[in-house]
Amino acid sequence: MANPFDTGAFKRLLSVPKRNIGLETLRQIYGEGDRCGLWLTDMALPQPFVNDDPLGAVIDAYRHGTLVVFDVETTGVAIEDEVVEIAAQKLLNGQVIDHFQAYISDVTDVGDSRYVHGYSNEFLRQQGQPGRRVLDQFFQFTGDAFIVGHNVGFDSSMLVTQAQRLGMPVPVWVWADTLNL
């Protein structure tokens, strides 16, 4: 599934006659799930529950591993838009051990997105670094850490798309999204 948060697409996928899942069953799943915070698309998420908790893997990584919490700022929300900033904190066993923050200087034009993040083209040219360098540094920073963010599905897809446009190898992250919390 290209976007595991697309409830409409998932509902259509489940409603295919061969699967024998009718509208009444879907309504029942919605109703039961709504009471306990389960979304229909949770069933399509690539991450399994750990210790019977949808955030169990995050808690495990926080307590006993390496976790990177990150966010990006972009020129928009379309796939052709660009990342202008990446910021992150790295935690080891629950303690902050490093941080990352970089602006990207070679974006085409920030346009109206400057009203969201506050960065002008001039600011990015003066304070930023080339996108290839920033992405390479960020990918090295994350390493094989567990990735967490708010709407991380969007943020990671923007990073991957920008890296692909630059012909860079793309990491495969294990991640969790706080959007549904």
Side-chain angles (χ1 to χ4, degrees):
M1 183 169 200
N3 181 357
F5 303 106
D6 185 349
T7 304
F10 194 60
K11 182 178 171 183
R12 287 189 299 278
L13 181 69
L14 290 176
S15 297
V16 172
K18 284 194 280 186
R19 291 193 171 78
N20 229 4
I21 299 174
L23 233 83
E24 189 52 42
T25 302
L26 290 174
R27 283 191 189 107
Q28 193 174 5
I29 293 170
Y30 277 122
E32 293 293 318
D34 197 38
R35 286 193 279 280
C36 66
L38 178 72
W39 291 27
L40 184 61
T41 54
D42 289 344
M43 295 179 220
L45 292 175
Q47 294 86 9
F49 281 21
V50 174
N51 300 326
D52 294 324
D53 188 336
L55 292 177
V58 176
I59 294 166
D60 250 14
Y62 176 80
R63 290 181 179 158
H64 311 291
T66 306
L67 184 75
V68 172
V69 181
F70 86 103
D71 188 36
V72 302
E73 294 297 334
T74 65
T75 60
V77 296
I79 203 71
E80 63 271 4
D81 289 317
E82 299 174 84
V83 175
V84 297
E85 180 189 24
I86 307 171
Q89 295 237 338
K90 184 183 285 186
L91 294 89
L92 178 64
N93 301 328
Q95 300 297 314
V96 176
I97 60 166
D98 204 357
H99 67 277
F100 180 93
Q101 192 275 327
Y103 301 107
I104 295 177
S105 62
D106 52 359
V107 295
T108 53
D109 180 32
V110 295
D112 287 341
S113 70
R114 71 182 178 276
Y115 298 117
V116 175
H117 49 63
Y119 308 137
S120 67
N121 292 324
E122 184 63 27
F123 173 84
L124 293 171
R125 274 193 297 281
Q126 290 175 357
Q127 302 298 317
Q129 303 172 53
R132 178 179 291 279
R133 182 181 310 148
V134 171
L135 290 172
D136 185 54
Q137 290 170 350
F138 181 67
F139 295 162
Q140 288 181 35
F141 177 83
T142 60
D144 61 355
F146 193 97
I147 306 296
V148 178
H150 195 72
N151 202 8
V152 75
F154 170 78
D155 289 351
S156 62
S157 69
M158 293 300 288
L159 289 171
V160 165
T161 300
Q162 193 149 336
Q164 288 173 335
R165 279 196 296 261
L166 295 169
M168 298 177 66
V170 178
V172 177
W173 287 307
V174 177
W175 54 270
D177 201 323
T178 63
L179 181 65
N180 297 336
L181 298 180

